[in-house]
Amino acid sequence: MPEPAAPPPVSPPLTGLRVLDLATLFAGPLAATLLGDFGAEVIKVEHPTRPDPSRGHGPSKDGVGLWWKVLGRNKRTITLDLSRPAGRTTLLRLAATADVVVENFRPGTLEKWDLGWDELSAVNPRLVLTRVTGFGQFGPYARRPGFGTLAEAMSGFAAMTGEPDGPPTLPPFGLADSIAALATAYAVMTALAARERTGEGQVVDMAIIEPILTVLGPQPTWYDQLGHVQPRTGNRSQNNAPRNTYRTADGTWVAVSTSAQSVAERVMRLVGRPELIDEPWFATGAERARHADVLDAAVGDWIARHTRADVLAAFEKAEAAVAPVQDVRDVLSDPQYQALDTVTTVDDPELGPLRMQNVLFRLSATPGAIRWAGRPHGADTEEVLTGLGLTPADVKELREEGVV
């Protein structure tokens, strides 16, 4: 019998969507990356002589920035000076073919170049213009330089992070930018869904200071209703205990969480302190948190007498929540991450096989994929522009003028 025919390949869900990524550092570009991971055609537009600074952020190999390899994946790269008349004209031609533009210039910059919403929507009424800035498009701070660090400070994140007797603590990575990128990708898809009903595009105004405030939970409501300001508690929680990191006998660390009452009881039995379950204060998470010293001592003393492997095995057997505190070396060898292919390998013409985080989630019918890692500066300029109808001679002239 002949072999059954293989099913035709399934296109990723965002196939046919064209995104122009005009943004830099880091929220806007990462949002575009997330769209590209699921099939959108993303065209990265960079200045001819001042490329996206992420190309030079962090470690590099053979002169090639590694952060860019991740942030620039699934993007075609072109150069264009938007401040020059020929650059403006070329961008408008591109925008006429696009579904989404992502930009993070200070408010008023695109308008100064006659590339604001009025001009862009005139050439493409279905366009979604996505504006990602530190503080949004209006308000007293709108024109200030804005970075994720400022959002981490302004939102209340830093004020509640760190040890009680220590200073406010900032994250050692782009937390606010990354949260804003996730929110921006969601905002873009929301605007595109609206376009399906109305037939018209619109402007997305994303302020980096806002999404991080959303993920911090009910802080404003607590203060509004109770005057409560969450203090710094280190690794402890005001809502449950035991909740902390604990050092094992072999000098490693584990994290324990007991958000559920049943899990807290299992932990106490596991560490040999079942009598604590009968204490009146043990019945609620908030009351347990007020007795965190007692509970931390019980859990910490037991964990300190066992190796990390034994701790993890015992907690798993007891169906109690625990995880090893891992650095990137542990992450790459973790069997759960390996099973999920969370960190995958991408073949790159410049550097060979590269390991990087995989697409953000799995879809059973129309999965995303990393088709290529970040490409060199301007690698696709001629292909993209001739695809608009410019001739090679036109592109050569733009190069000679410094527009591309």
Side-chain angles (χ1 to χ4, degrees), residues 87-109:
R88 172 189 180 275
T89 300
T90 305
L91 183 76
L92 288 174
R93 291 182 68 166
L94 267 175
T97 71
D99 299 281
V100 180
V101 170
V102 181
E103 64 97 1
N104 71 335
F105 299 105
R106 288 197 211 179
T109 300

Side-chain angles (χ1 to χ4, degrees), residues 242-246 253-257 303 311-312 315 320-325:
R243 192 263 197 183
N244 214 324
T245 58
Y246 306 92
W253 294 82
V254 296
V256 173
S257 175
I303 288 177
V311 170
L312 297 177
F315 268 71
V322 70
V325 176

Side-chain angles (χ1 to χ4, degrees), residues 148-149 151-152 157 161 170-182 208 212 215-216:
T149 297
E152 290 145 11
F157 172 86
T161 304
L170 295 167
F173 63 98
L175 177 64
D177 277 300
S178 299
I179 295 171
L182 293 167
I208 296 173
I212 189 171
V215 304
L216 290 180

Side-chain angles (χ1 to χ4, degrees), residues 69-292:
K69 285 297 178 183
V70 180
L71 190 64
R73 71 192 194 191
N74 292 335
K75 299 180 183 182
R76 295 200 286 168
T77 61
I78 73 169
T79 58
L80 200 58
D81 186 344
L82 304 182
S83 68
R84 303 181 65 164
R88 172 189 180 275
T89 300
T90 305
L91 183 76
L92 288 174
R93 291 182 68 166
L94 267 175
T97 71
D99 299 281
V100 180
V101 170
V102 181
E103 64 97 1
N104 71 335
F105 299 105
R106 288 197 211 179
T109 300
L110 283 185
E111 286 74 11
K112 179 179 66 176
W113 297 333
D114 293 327
L115 286 171
W117 174 241
D118 290 344
E119 291 80 9
L120 290 170
S121 61
V123 299
N124 185 353
R126 292 174 54 82
L127 187 70
V128 172
L129 174 59
T130 308
R131 317 194 78 166
V132 185
T133 56
F135 305 107
Q137 294 296 308
F138 56 91
Y141 303 166
R143 293 182 180 271
R144 293 182 182 179
F147 298 98
T149 297
L150 308 187
E152 290 145 11
M154 286 181 60
S155 64
F157 172 86
M160 69 175 74
T161 304
E163 294 299 324
D165 56 351
T169 301
L170 295 167
F173 63 98
L175 177 64
D177 277 300
S178 299
I179 295 171
L182 293 167
T184 300
Y186 165 57
V188 167
M189 298 310 299
T190 302
L192 290 173
R195 188 180 74 173
E196 289 299 305
R197 296 196 309 274
T198 67
E200 296 181 350
Q202 60 184 297
V203 178
V204 172
D205 178 3
M206 178 62 67
I208 296 173
I209 60 172
E210 292 184 304
I212 189 171
L213 183 59
T214 297
V215 304
L216 290 180
Q219 309 297 323
T221 307
W222 284 346
Y223 181 75
D224 174 64
Q225 296 296 304
L226 302 172
H228 175 73
V229 178
Q230 182 167 325
R232 289 191 289 282
T233 58
N235 291 324
R236 288 180 171 176
S237 168
Q238 290 189 310
N239 303 312
N240 63 80
R243 192 263 197 183
N244 214 324
T245 58
Y246 306 92
R247 190 163 188 163
T248 65
D250 51 353
T252 60
W253 294 82
V254 296
V256 173
S257 175
T258 57
S259 296
Q261 180 71 19
S262 59
V263 173
E265 294 175 6
R266 290 176 203 151
V267 170
M268 289 302 104
R269 294 189 186 99
L270 171 62
V271 302
R273 297 295 303 276
E275 76 280 3
L276 293 175
I277 299 172
D278 298 326
E279 294 287 346
W281 48 261
F282 197 87
T284 69
E287 284 297 316
R288 293 200 311 273
R290 295 188 181 96
H291 294 79

